[in-house]
């Protein structure tokens, strides 16, 4: 009898319970959750906890209810550490990584967890990559699209000065997740009507993809597999403009790789969280369905969650895509399972089979 196809969510998040967060995080106003589990907070910032599945036990119930076999848990975007003093940043990121490592260790059939480093402090980042891989058995490196360097300048994560991070990631054959955040700190606009989540996050992903591909990183580091969050939506829409710019002003791109070379590349992935089938269709036509993984971005309200107002549920977009003949059944199954596993493990068949065995057991 054929083995059933798995439903693996390649983009998920998890909050610690309030009592799990070290006291220094609240004392220094870095990040905490109130005792009623109603809000997550930072200095001058407060966001409602919009679903009980932000937390572990409730997340497991939510996954069971929605027939989700496994999830890749990324770091919390609030814990990229931008703008923190060095020691505070190191402690905060170490807490995040140790928390995710414990989740993965305690629930290996349900979660593969990522770890985060700060590219602005390269030696510490390399040490933390080694620690997380060698000691904590973590294989997903989470990086922001942009980071604040030691003199307060915002930089692309793919700046040449960060090559050592990708050399080490390539050595360990890591999956990499690129996720946007902190747009309100980078861009001098009033933070109103959720503009930084609805508009600027897509621009941040597009900018990161721009430099990843111009620098030919998919070729220079053949053993990493990089996924861009939220479908890299602007990366799909903007390809023609980038090509015309590259061809029309070659003086601005000396030593860079042509944008066409990256399209559909086997080491570049995008998740499905684009919110409409037209965007999904464009991504699949541009990149190929093999480079698309299922991503729900749960439990955030911009994730694919249960919602009467949006008539939504986890997996709705892919169900619509198959109903509208954008994908066939094999592509549907691959996006839920095979593509996620290929992003996580590349050609390491034993690692894939090991995780499948854990899930099915």
């Amino acid at each position: 009898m054929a083995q059933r196809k798995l439903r693996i969510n390649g983009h998920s998040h998890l909050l610690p319970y309030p009592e799990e967060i070290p006291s220094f995080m609240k004392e220094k106003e870095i990040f905490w959750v109130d005792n009623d589990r109603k809000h997550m907070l930072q200095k001058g910032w407060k966001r409602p906890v919009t679903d009980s599945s932000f937390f572990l036990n409730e997340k497991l119930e939510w996954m069971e209810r929605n027939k989700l076999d496994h999830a890749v848990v990324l770091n919390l975007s609030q814990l990229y550490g931008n703008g923190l003093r060095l020691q505070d940043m190191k402690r905060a990121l170490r807490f995040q990584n140790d928390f995710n490592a414990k989740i993965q260790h305690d629930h290996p059939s349900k979660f593969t967890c990522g770890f985060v480093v700060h590219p602005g402090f390269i030696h510490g980042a390399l040490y933390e990559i080694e620690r997380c891989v060698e000691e904590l058995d973590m294989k997903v490196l989470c990086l922001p699209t942009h980071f604040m360097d030691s003199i307060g300048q915002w930089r692309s994560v793919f700046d040449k000065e960060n090559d050592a991070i990708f050399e080490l990631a390539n050595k360990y054959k890591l999956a990499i997740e690129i996720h946007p955040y902190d747009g309100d700190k980078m861009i001098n606009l009033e933070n109103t009507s959720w503009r930084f989540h609805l508009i600027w996050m897509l621009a941040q992903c597009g900018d990161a993809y721009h430099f990843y591909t111009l620098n030919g990183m998919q070729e220079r580091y053949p053993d990493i597999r990089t996924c861009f969050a939220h479908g890299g939506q602007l990366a799909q829409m903007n390809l023609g403009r980038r090509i015309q710019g590259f061809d029309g002003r070659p003086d601005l791109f000396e030593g860079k790789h042509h944008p066409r070379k990256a399209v559909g590349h086997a080491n570049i992935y995008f998740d499905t969280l684009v919110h409409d089938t037209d965007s999904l269709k464009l991504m699949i036509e541009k990149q190929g369905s093999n480079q698309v993984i299922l991503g729900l971005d749960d439990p955030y309200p911009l994730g694919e969650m249960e919602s009467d107002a949006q008539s939504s549920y986890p997996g709705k977009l892919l169900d619509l895509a198959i109903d509208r003949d954008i994908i066939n059944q094999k592509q549907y199954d691959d996006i839920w399972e095979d593509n996620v596993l290929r992003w996580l493990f590349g050609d390491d068949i034993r690692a894939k089979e090991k995780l499948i065995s854990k899930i099915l057991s």
Side-chain angles (χ1 to χ4, degrees), residues 119-260:
F121 302 92
I122 196 79
H123 296 296
L126 297 177
Y127 170 84
E128 186 66 357
I129 291 172
E130 289 182 352
R131 186 183 79 90
C132 288
V133 175
E134 300 280 0
E135 298 179 21
L136 303 181
D137 194 31
M138 303 174 86
K139 299 295 170 61
V140 180
L141 171 58
C142 299
L143 293 171
T145 58
H146 302 81
F147 68 96
M148 182 187 289
D149 69 16
S150 58
I151 60 170
Q153 175 67 46
W154 284 96
R155 308 276 294 277
S156 166
V157 73
F158 300 122
D159 278 3
K160 183 174 177 53
E161 288 82 352
N162 294 333
D163 279 358
I165 288 175
F166 299 100
E167 289 167 5
L168 187 57
N170 193 68
K171 170 190 170 183
Y172 286 129
K173 301 185 177 182
L174 299 181
I176 296 178
E177 175 73 18
I178 303 298
H179 198 291
Y181 201 65
D182 284 333
D184 55 329
K185 299 174 185 174
M186 297 170 55
I187 299 151
N188 190 21
L189 287 170
E190 182 186 0
N191 191 354
T192 185
S193 299
W194 225 9
R195 72 189 328 158
F196 291 106
H197 278 72
L198 302 184
I199 310 298
W200 289 100
M201 274 190 166
L202 304 187
Q204 288 173 277
C205 276
D207 187 75
Y209 176 75
H210 183 54
F211 286 99
Y212 187 85
T213 58
L214 284 178
N215 293 335
M217 300 185 77
Q218 70 277 5
E219 303 287 349
R220 291 166 56 209
Y221 305 110
D223 290 327
I224 61 173
R225 300 154 310 281
T226 302
C227 180
F228 291 85
H230 309 150
Q233 225 162 343
L234 190 61
Q236 322 305 337
M237 284 290 297
N238 203 33
L239 181 62
R241 186 174 179 86
R242 292 178 61 230
I243 289 172
Q244 182 154 345
F246 191 98
D247 292 340
R249 285 293 305 273
D251 57 303
L252 298 177
F253 298 97
E254 188 175 347
K256 300 296 185 183
H257 294 243
H258 198 287
R260 278 200 189 93

Side-chain angles (χ1 to χ4, degrees), residues 266-305:
N267 289 341
I268 302 177
Y269 292 79
F270 304 89
D271 69 32
T272 57
L273 196 81
V274 293
H275 304 286
D276 70 276
T277 51
D278 288 337
S279 294
L280 183 68
K281 182 180 180 182
L282 177 65
M283 177 166 60
I284 288 172
E285 287 177 347
K286 294 277 189 187
Q287 307 292 345
S289 64
N290 282 346
Q291 303 317 119
V292 178
I293 71 171
L294 199 290
L296 299 178
D297 201 10
D298 58 285
Y300 289 99
L302 280 174
E304 206 166 84
M305 300 291 293

Side-chain angles (χ1 to χ4, degrees), residues 24 31 36 58 98 111 118 128 162-163 176 183 191 197 207 222 245 250 266 296 329-330 332 359:
F24 82 88
F31 184 79
D36 294 330
E58 294 81 356
D98 288 347
F111 300 115
H118 195 301
E128 186 66 357
N162 294 333
D163 279 358
I176 296 178
N191 191 354
H197 278 72
D207 187 75
L296 299 178
Q329 186 65 49
K330 183 181 186 307
Y332 178 96
I359 294 170

